[in-house]
Amino acid sequence: MAPAYVYMVRCEGGQLYTGWTTDPAARLHAHKTGQGARATRAFHAVSMAYLEPCADKPAALRREAALKKLPKAEKEALCAAWAGRMQPRLSMATRADAAEILRLYNWYVLNRTATYQITPSTLPEYQAWVEDTLARAPLLLARDGDGRLLGFACAHRYHSREAFDWDVESTIYCAPDACSAGVGKALYGALLELLRMQGYWNVYALLADPNPASERFHAKFGFVCVGRQPHTGYKFGRWGGMSIWWLPLRRGRAAPAPVRLRLEDAEVAAVLKKYTAT
């Protein structure tokens, strides 16, 4: 059963529009681009102001009706509490975080085509994966004010041959109810800054195609699409493609300096502080 959410969108002038959805990120984009409700087209939706998971569509519809009846002051109180709680707190992952990362990733394995993996991963696999990832690049976590995992972002080898040592492939997954809360922006901003400090030259992102939300997200960071592979993955009873997105961290023809596989703790802490809620 698809997840359901009730939400409030902030419009220009401060108005709040209340609705329900199964895909918060896509619904927010529809409102912001004039493809949503008549009210958000008239008042110009700006941002997600509140998001609450519900058991199913009927529960979301009931909660939507209840929220619409609330006085403006109570709606604003809900929005303020949600905004404070959802501000991402960034940290570097450890092996002990593998189980939480696994739960989030396996949700996508079972429910989305953002990954073409079909069989869920296991905890031993992800414990080893965490250690292997951290040996070469950051593996960043974002948590909310209650300590709940909102998302993770990392990078790993793009190709095993030595000539590609200055290239990485980036990965990011956010909890379904955090896809419109600025979590991805904080995670990717910190990740790309740390990769640049390490001395990597190129970041590649491999996206399931079609995936317009992820394409918009990567384009905002300067990634450009450099190739598409149609009809390449079969999942959930249909074929999908793959698109390749590239972000150059450095340009030129000079010989590259060796990559710093491990940054100093103080360097990492300074970058994470920039992207962490205060």
Side-chain angles (χ1 to χ4, degrees):
M1 182 179 295
Y5 305 87
V6 65
Y7 66 89
M8 287 187 278
V9 166
R10 179 78 63 187
C11 300
E12 290 181 0
Q15 297 93 338
L16 290 170
Y17 171 82
T18 303
W20 81 276
T21 183
T22 58
D23 190 333
R27 189 59 178 158
L28 176 62
H29 179 71
H31 284 306
K32 293 176 71 173
T33 55
Q35 303 170 63
R38 181 181 302 174
T40 55
R41 292 198 300 269
F43 295 106
H44 305 293
V46 175
S47 61
M48 188 69 74
Y50 180 76
L51 188 65
E52 178 183 331
C54 300
D56 49 29
K57 178 180 176 180
L61 289 171
R62 289 193 297 270
R63 182 58 174 153
E64 176 191 14
L67 285 179
K68 287 181 175 179
K69 294 177 182 178
L70 291 179
K72 183 69 157 46
E74 292 187 31
K75 292 181 181 179
E76 291 291 357
L78 286 174
C79 293
W82 180 83
R85 187 172 65 253
M86 292 297 289
Q87 285 294 314
R89 282 77 170 171
L90 301 192
S91 64
M92 191 71 72
T94 69
R95 180 186 172 93
D97 298 305
E100 287 182 284
I101 298 170
L102 176 65
R103 281 194 295 272
L104 175 52
Y105 176 68
N106 275 345
W107 186 89
Y108 280 90
V109 172
L110 295 171
N111 295 282
R112 292 289 188 268
T113 55
T115 172
Y116 282 136
Q117 183 172 332
I118 294 173
T119 303
S121 293
T122 66
L123 181 57
E125 290 172 347
Y126 253 61
Q127 288 172 331
W129 175 81
V130 168
E131 294 179 342
D132 291 345
T133 301
L134 289 171
R136 297 191 63 87
L139 171 50
L140 304 182
L141 306 181
R143 297 184 182 277
D144 68 10
D146 298 324
R148 181 174 68 96
L149 184 64
L150 297 174
F152 69 91
C154 63
H156 45 89
R157 291 183 73 104
Y158 182 64
H159 199 291
S160 60
R161 291 176 178 158
E162 296 95 326
F164 298 95
D165 280 352
W166 294 269
D167 306 330
V168 290
E169 179 186 341
S170 60
T171 295
I172 184 168
Y173 288 96
C174 293
D177 61 340
C179 291
S180 303
V183 175
K185 180 179 179 181
L187 281 169
Y188 237 39
L191 175 67
L192 296 175
E193 187 166 338
L194 290 169
L195 292 173
R196 189 176 288 108
M197 290 168 61
Q198 285 186 271
Y200 286 109
W201 279 57
N202 301 293
V203 183
Y204 293 92
L206 306 182
L207 310 183
D209 186 14
N211 192 339
S214 189
E215 292 193 6
R216 291 191 300 269
F217 175 79
H218 283 82
K220 287 179 181 178
F221 282 94
F223 284 78
V224 294
C225 183
V226 293
R228 294 187 185 273
Q229 299 171 310
H231 205 68
T232 193
Y234 186 80
K235 187 177 181 181
F236 298 149
R238 61 183 182 273
W239 283 97
M242 182 76 71
S243 61
I244 304 155
W245 292 68
W246 168 57
L247 175 69
L249 299 178
R250 286 173 170 75
R251 295 184 182 272
R253 298 184 177 275
V259 170
R260 299 170 61 197
L261 297 181
R262 295 295 297 270
L263 296 173
E264 298 293 333
D265 290 345
E267 294 177 295
V268 174
V271 172
L272 298 187
K273 184 178 180 180
K274 286 175 56 177
Y275 294 90
T276 293
T278 56

